[in-house]
Amino acid sequence: MKIIVIGAVAGGTSAAAKARRNNDSAEIIIYEKDQDISYSGCGLPYYLGGKVGSIQELTPRSPDFFKSKYNIDIHIRHEVLKIDIPTKTLVIKNLDSGAVFNDTYDKLILSTGAQAFVPPIKGIELENVFFLRNVQNALKIKAFMDNHHPKTAVVVGTGFIGFEVMENLEACGIKVTLVERAGKLTPNLDEDMSLYLEKRLSKRKIPIFKNANVVEATSQGVILENGTLIPSEMIIVATGVKPNVTLAREAGLLLGVTGAIRVDERMMTIDTDIYACGDCIETWSAVTKRPHYRPLGSTANKTGRICGDNITGGNVVYPGNLSTGIFKLFDISIGSTGLSEAEARSQGYDIEICHNIKPDKPGYYGGQEMLIKAIADRSTQKLLGVQIIGYDGVDKRLDVFVTLITYGATVDEIFNLDLGYAPPFSTTKDPVHYTGMILDNALNKDRKLMTAADLKKKLNNKEVYQIIDTRVTAQYRDGHLPEAQNITHEDLRDKLDQLDPTLPVITYCNKGVTGNATQNILLNHDFKNVYNLSGDFRFYDATKED
């Protein structure tokens, strides 16, 4: 059997290696139009910032390595121009010599990856404008930094790569301005969590332009649609990627609704002898089973391995993914998994939302606040998605939530998880436990929650609520919700006659504990419609627009 793989980064090399482990007699050939293979694209921003000392650390494997270890022939700088499915023939061009030749296959794997999305910006071809998609891009940016010693930069786009590039340029002493076309930062966070992150960045004096469309790049900086010039010596365009599907489309393979190659759960295309993997394919949500496009290195490796297994006789099924992502921004960690609030609402779920602020470990051991937003389905009481912003231990909690969502845990089961505890690592009741408790109380024990966004809408609609700030008077004077009256937790029992039990009540404190205690008192005194503000004043204050 002759297997040809097109593409030699994460998905393609994973597929070829797995195929070889299954079948030692197959002829396996990879064609790659770039000159670098099997590199760590996620590490490229850290090469710019000096955290990775040499580009060779990100490109540890050469064609010789794959030949000696796996008996796989990798031809770099070879572009596949055409796939002729009826004859199982490829037309290939040697980009160094210019020679064009044919090759044939028994089984074919497409791992053509993704390419940077190029927005319609005048001057985008200038020498001070860069994309960061591959090793050669990184080398060009580093050479510009070394030769020109820029002091200012603009990063267009606030996805993972945009943020990571910003952090690493700042580490080199370059003052960075962020420009984002959307009305919020980073697409993987809901608007409230995005605002929370933005407030953290504002403390670092990072200039941020939202709802800002770049129309022109110049040697002096970028020009926005409204005519504003943002001075900068270098410009990084990090506006996302799109699947590289030209070969597949011209060959007659089916594309999905997202524009990526459509595959089944075994990574097979509509042709039984052609499989596909990595950033060129359309995957699907493990929660909704609906198609989506999520180009991530972790997904590329998984789908590549499944390709290599199934193309050599295996029967491995891909269950979909949760779009799990995590990135570091200075000392902050940001993670998300599953559906966002916006996605859940758009797909018709009746959802419960909680915002939970708890320390990642005890205060006496240097604990710092961790914010967890969790979205659950009221009907099934299963978790749909989680977003976390914190410092240490975000990855640990995120992975616990990933596991819970994957195996369909209900909110009442979360508190009983036997998680590891010791002061250097967590609190006795972990933030994960608290999240389960809050959701279980809201769904099953009449401890209702209301988000700040929902409260604002209700007040704008002139709905009447009694809002109680349960904190001490000094805290109330420093700042409080509009229309809130200050009745401390200690005084509440003596002042119940000041409240109307027939009207809905909203309680809040700083982070939730006292607000919930006040809610309990009111419910025990026959108040029927009592809410605790989700995230309480700390989250409300951190997410209100300036």
Side-chain angles (χ1 to χ4, degrees):
M1 180 167 59
K2 183 177 181 180
I3 300 170
I4 290 184
V5 182
I6 305 175
V9 189
T13 52
S14 293
K18 180 58 179 174
R20 173 57 74 218
R21 287 192 290 270
N22 284 2
N23 186 331
D24 202 51
S25 62
E27 180 184 3
I28 303 176
I29 300 170
I30 304 179
Y31 290 107
E32 169 57 58
K33 69 177 181 179
D34 200 356
Q35 65 188 70
D36 303 294
I37 67 166
S38 193
Y39 56 83
S40 174
C42 298
L44 296 175
Y46 302 100
Y47 168 70
L48 302 180
K51 294 182 178 67
V52 176
S54 167
I55 199 69
Q56 281 70 40
E57 294 180 54
L58 303 178
T59 56
R61 295 175 180 173
S62 66
D64 289 341
F65 168 86
F66 279 92
K67 182 63 176 176
S68 63
K69 186 174 179 65
Y70 294 107
N71 192 25
I72 293 171
D73 294 304
I74 298 183
H75 302 287
I76 60 173
R77 301 277 299 156
H78 279 65
E79 181 179 6
V80 178
L81 303 177
K82 182 181 178 181
I83 304 168
D84 186 69
I85 292 178
T87 63
K88 292 189 174 182
T89 301
L90 307 178
V91 180
I92 303 153
K93 181 177 182 179
N94 184 323
L95 297 179
D96 291 325
S97 69
V100 176
F101 62 95
N102 294 344
D103 201 351
T104 58
Y105 64 86
D106 296 312
K107 299 287 185 179
L108 179 65
I109 297 175
L110 299 181
S111 185
T112 47
Q115 56 189 323
F117 172 75
V118 182
I121 297 174
K122 183 181 178 181
I124 204 166
E125 74 287 346
L126 294 175
E127 66 171 8
N128 66 323
V129 182
F130 303 95
F131 293 86
L132 183 58
R133 181 61 191 160
N134 56 38
V135 172
Q136 297 306 308
N137 294 157
L139 291 172
K140 285 183 179 180
I141 297 172
K142 192 68 165 64
F144 184 89
M145 292 167 61
D146 292 341
N147 294 332
H148 297 274
H149 306 289
K151 298 298 181 186
T152 57
V154 163
V155 173
V156 184
T158 58
F160 293 173
I161 295 297
F163 273 139
E164 290 167 352
V165 169
M166 178 197 72
E167 176 187 355
N168 282 281
L169 294 184
E170 288 270 339
C172 296
I174 300 172
K175 184 63 179 173
V176 178
T177 298
L178 287 175
V179 178
E180 172 56 59
R181 185 173 186 174
K184 69 178 185 69
L185 302 183
T186 190
N188 66 313
L189 295 181
D190 282 314
E191 187 170 354
D192 52 0
M193 297 292 280
S194 175
L195 277 170
Y196 185 86
L197 176 61
E198 186 177 340
K199 291 294 179 71
R200 296 291 181 95
L201 292 179
S202 68
K203 295 178 181 179
R204 289 183 166 270
K205 310 299 182 186
I206 304 292
I208 299 171
F209 289 76
K210 296 186 298 183
N211 294 303
N213 187 29
V214 176
V215 296
E216 185 174 357
T218 73
S219 58
Q220 285 78 43
V222 299
I223 300 173
L224 304 183
E225 196 169 33
N226 63 7
T228 300
L229 170 67
I230 303 176
S232 62
E233 297 160 80
M234 66 184 298
I235 302 159
I236 309 291
V237 181
T239 49
V241 299
K242 60 181 181 179
N244 194 352
V245 296
T246 302
L247 266 178
R249 183 179 61 246
E250 292 179 350
L253 296 176
L254 184 64
L255 303 185
V257 296
T258 64
I261 301 171
R262 184 173 177 179
V263 295
D264 67 10
E265 59 189 6
R266 299 176 68 249
M267 299 296 115
M268 189 171 69
T269 69
I270 57 169
D271 186 289
T272 56
D273 290 324
I274 302 178
Y275 289 64
C277 60
D279 290 353
C280 63
I281 67 167
E282 177 180 270
T283 56
W284 51 92
S285 165
V287 176
T288 68
K289 308 307 179 185
R290 296 181 181 179
H292 61 203
Y293 179 60
R294 297 294 187 269
L296 292 169
S298 53
T299 302
N301 275 282
K302 290 186 186 80
T303 57
R305 187 179 190 276
I306 291 171
C307 263
D309 200 344
N310 289 333
I311 213 164
T312 50
N315 189 28
V316 183
V317 169
Y318 183 64
N321 56 65
L322 296 176
S323 304
T324 304
I326 187 168
F327 62 100
K328 186 181 81 68
L329 193 53
F330 303 112
D331 55 346
I332 308 169
S333 299
I334 303 102
S336 63
T337 190
L339 302 183
S340 66
E341 176 188 349
E343 289 171 331
R345 291 192 188 282
S346 71
Q347 298 192 31
Y349 286 96
D350 180 21
I351 57 175
E352 187 68 57
I353 299 167
C354 80
H355 300 83
N356 169 30
I357 302 176
K358 293 292 184 294
D360 56 5
K361 59 180 77 73
Y364 62 77
Y365 208 93
Q368 295 177 285
E369 285 185 354
M370 173 182 292
L371 167 64
I372 300 175
K373 177 178 181 176
I375 301 105
D377 178 21
R378 287 194 176 112
S379 174
T380 64
Q381 299 205 0
K382 293 180 179 181
L383 279 175
L384 297 175
V386 172
Q387 299 166 32
I388 310 177
I389 299 175
Y391 298 92
D392 291 338
V394 168
D395 56 338
K396 167 186 171 180
R397 277 75 180 196
L398 184 68
D399 287 345
V400 171
F401 284 120
V402 168
T403 306
L404 290 168
I405 296 172
T406 299
Y407 292 100
T410 52
V411 297
D412 60 307
E413 296 175 307
I414 299 174
F415 177 69
N416 292 318
L417 291 174
D418 191 14
L419 302 177
Y421 160 69
F425 305 105
S426 67
T427 50
T428 50
K429 287 197 290 286
D430 192 84
V432 172
H433 290 135
Y434 276 108
T435 300
M437 291 164 59
I438 294 168
L439 288 172
D440 185 28
N441 283 340
L443 290 171
N444 299 312
K445 298 171 183 174
D446 199 32
R447 268 55 179 177
K448 293 183 285 190
L449 299 167
M450 184 175 293
T451 66
D454 283 343
L455 176 59
K456 183 178 179 181
K457 291 176 186 175
K458 292 179 181 297
L459 295 178
N460 286 340
N461 292 333
K462 307 302 181 184
E463 297 183 35
V464 178
Y465 284 84
Q466 301 169 102
I467 304 176
I468 303 175
D469 186 319
T470 69
R471 300 172 301 159
V472 299
T473 303
Q475 291 175 324
Y476 175 82
R477 287 173 178 166
D478 284 342
H480 57 269
L481 268 67
E483 303 183 30
Q485 56 181 310
N486 186 209
I487 304 177
T488 66
H489 175 235
E490 291 79 5
D491 295 337
L492 179 63
R493 291 180 179 87
D494 297 328
K495 296 184 177 181
L496 288 173
D497 58 355
Q498 296 180 15
L499 301 170
D500 184 346
T502 66
L503 292 177
V505 184
I506 295 174
T507 67
Y508 72 86
C509 58
N510 266 333
K511 293 186 288 184
V513 175
T514 307
N516 176 250
T518 305
Q519 182 184 38
N520 290 333
I521 292 173
L522 293 171
L523 289 170
N524 277 294
H525 285 82
D526 296 324
F527 284 73
K528 302 300 184 186
N529 202 5
V530 187
Y531 297 84
N532 190 204
L533 183 67
S534 183
D536 290 78
F537 186 76
R538 183 69 61 85
F539 186 67
Y540 166 83
D541 190 52
T543 56
K544 65 182 181 183
E545 291 275 14
D546 292 331

